[in-house]
Amino acid sequence: MAIVKTVYALAGAALVAAGVQAQPAGGPVKIGVMADMSSAYSDIGGKGLVEAARMAVQDFGGSVLGQPVELVYTDGQNKVDVASAAARRWFDQDGVDMVTDLPTSALALAISELGREKKRIVMVTSASTSELTAKACSPYTVHWTYDTYALANGTGAAVSAQGGKKWYFMTADYSFGYALQADASAVIEKNGGKVLGAVRSPLNTPDFSSYLLQAQASKAGIIGLALGGNDVISAIKQAADFGIGRPGGQQKLVALLAFLSDVKSIGLPLGQGLLLTEAFYWDQNDATRAWSQRFQDKVGRKPTMTQAGTYGAVLHYLNAVKAAGTKDADAVMAKMRETPINDFMTRNGRLRADGRVVRDMYLFEVKKPEESRSEWDLYKQVAVIPGDVAFRPEDRGGCPLIKQAMR
């Protein structure tokens, strides 16, 4: 498996290009992007996410503490064994200081544990399981962009408030799906709703017919899609063949996790009316539009929230290294926790002791075709969900770090 490396430096560029090895003690700061380059999550992350990380390094200036910042990336293939082996090699042999992206929950949980073992920072910008800040929390893991609790608390609560009381889930048969269904079920029941059942499907399912028929037979008014990546696209497209989710129909589809790129692939005729919760949309304000245009000029499409989030995570990490005066993981984590997060995507965000970044989340509705003015004009904002409301309270996740801090 090839590992691609790009080196950015300002003062040190000539030395790197000339092959000079002599560097001040401590060596370069190395950031690894563990990506999905060709499978279910390549559109929401992939090459675009690597480019977002690259933009952050360039905007920071390319060097820190007198050393170049090096960016490496590899395709973890959404396989825990492959990704873990690559991350271990990064930590043990290549001197990588921080790993980010991590497109699936299983990968994120595994690499988080490896980061704990190796005392290296892991900044999860794509995977969503809220377990990362619960019993599986680590002093070196940051859950940056969003999580299953926030998705459930946004979309699930909004649909329940609109009268969606009887639910049936189509759930991804892995960690992400389990966590999303569990978090959404808790919100639904809290709001007086009822979960009638669920069916599980593996990653990259090509044919959802049998699952859709089971959901249809449940007679539930809401079919909650606890799916991600290409699976949510396929499920919504195939649901139309059964009359599920069509305007005026008896059963409504709710995508508990959907990204801008997913909606673009689904198209407005099928996607119109979908409610979804995200941490970012390109057309929210002047700052989001300006950065998103820069990204589009490089990548050819508007960014997803994980791509935008990765930019912010890399920049926050580099600023913390600079402020700490070292790349020591404990010192850098302390600086990241004490420094407010402010960029084009986040206003006054903060990193809690359990690793959760708290920021405002947003409830969006997919536009009708006649409402859209351009290719990427896909959402209208319905509500702002304050960070303290969107994310699970710090003392309710069961994170051992919180229990220790309270003693």
Side-chain angles (χ1 to χ4, degrees):
M1 177 176 56
I3 296 180
V4 183
K5 178 170 72 174
T6 306
V7 179
Y8 293 95
L10 294 180
L15 292 177
V16 173
V20 178
Q21 299 299 314
Q23 294 177 331
V29 171
K30 294 187 178 182
I31 298 171
V33 179
M34 185 66 67
D36 176 355
M37 304 300 288
S38 58
S39 187
Y41 300 104
S42 57
D43 279 349
I44 69 169
K47 295 178 180 178
L49 188 143
V50 174
E51 183 60 44
R54 182 179 291 128
M55 289 171 66
V57 172
Q58 291 173 330
D59 288 353
F60 182 79
S63 63
V64 64
L65 307 181
Q67 296 289 314
V69 178
E70 295 185 5
L71 181 70
V72 301
Y73 65 93
T74 191
D75 187 349
Q77 302 178 37
N78 294 334
K79 297 178 181 178
V80 172
D81 57 342
V82 172
S84 295
R88 188 175 292 275
R89 183 165 59 251
W90 274 351
F91 292 151
D92 289 346
Q93 300 176 22
D94 300 335
V96 168
D97 302 292
M98 185 271 274
V99 172
T100 190
D101 187 1
L102 301 165
T104 74
S105 294
L107 259 63
L109 289 165
I111 305 305
S112 176
E113 284 304 305
L114 186 60
R116 184 203 305 269
E117 174 191 337
K118 300 295 183 179
K119 197 177 174 181
R120 302 294 173 88
I121 293 173
V122 177
M123 301 188 76
V124 181
T125 55
S126 294
S128 60
T129 178
S130 58
E131 285 301 303
L132 283 164
T133 53
K135 294 180 180 179
C137 68
S138 161
Y140 303 108
T141 295
V142 177
H143 204 182
W144 184 267
T145 312
Y146 71 108
D147 65 20
T148 52
Y149 185 96
L151 297 175
N153 214 24
T155 310
V159 174
S160 296
Q162 292 179 2
K165 299 300 184 182
K166 293 184 178 181
W167 290 64
Y168 187 91
F169 285 99
M170 291 173 54
T171 301
D173 194 11
Y174 50 98
S175 302
F176 147 73
Y178 309 152
L180 186 51
Q181 182 184 327
D183 286 335
S185 296
V187 170
I188 292 162
E189 291 167 2
K190 179 181 178 181
N191 285 274
K194 184 177 181 181
V195 177
L196 303 184
V199 63
R200 293 177 174 177
S201 60
L203 181 65
N204 289 326
T205 293
D207 185 357
F208 281 91
S209 298
S210 63
Y211 308 115
L212 288 163
L213 287 171
Q214 291 179 66
Q216 191 174 50
S218 74
K219 304 298 182 182
I222 304 296
I223 298 174
L225 303 179
L227 305 169
N230 293 337
D231 287 339
V232 74
I233 298 171
S234 298
I236 291 174
K237 287 183 174 180
Q238 293 174 33
D241 297 334
F242 296 91
I244 300 172
R246 303 300 292 160
Q250 294 183 340
Q251 290 181 307
K252 183 174 183 178
L253 287 174
V254 172
L256 290 164
L257 175 59
F259 293 83
L260 184 71
S261 55
D262 299 332
V263 174
K264 182 69 164 57
S265 296
I266 293 164
L268 294 183
L270 291 182
Q272 60 182 305
L274 275 177
L275 292 173
L276 53 118
T277 301
E278 295 214 46
F280 164 84
Y281 176 52
W282 71 269
D283 198 22
Q284 288 178 287
N285 53 55
D286 288 345
T288 59
R289 285 187 285 271
W291 186 87
S292 297
Q293 187 59 55
R294 288 180 56 207
F295 179 91
Q296 186 173 14
D297 289 344
K298 295 176 180 293
V299 178
R301 60 194 304 170
K302 296 298 187 187
T304 64
M305 69 169 165
T306 56
Q307 291 163 342
T310 298
Y311 175 95
V314 171
L315 200 60
H316 192 64
Y317 169 77
L318 291 174
N319 279 318
V321 171
K322 180 179 179 180
T326 176
K327 60 179 185 174
D328 173 78
D330 289 307
V332 174
M333 286 295 299
K335 283 296 179 183
M336 286 201 291
R337 287 193 178 97
E338 71 182 40
T339 306
I341 302 166
N342 285 291
D343 55 36
F344 68 89
M345 175 179 174
T346 307
R347 291 291 177 268
N348 297 318
R350 69 184 192 279
L351 173 58
R352 300 190 314 204
D354 62 352
R356 175 70 259 160
V357 168
V358 178
R359 59 158 52 79
D360 290 348
M361 298 290 289
Y362 306 92
L363 182 67
F364 298 105
E365 182 178 336
V366 176
K367 289 185 173 182
K368 298 176 182 178
E370 61 268 25
E371 294 175 323
S372 178
R373 299 164 298 176
S374 60
E375 180 184 9
W376 290 97
D377 181 24
L378 305 178
Y379 293 174
K380 52 186 175 184
Q381 187 170 306
V382 176
V384 178
I385 309 167
D388 288 335
V389 174
F391 292 98
R392 180 177 56 211
E394 193 174 29
D395 60 352
R396 295 185 187 175
C399 172
L401 299 174
I402 303 303
K403 295 179 180 179
Q404 292 171 11
M406 295 175 65
R407 289 175 183 171

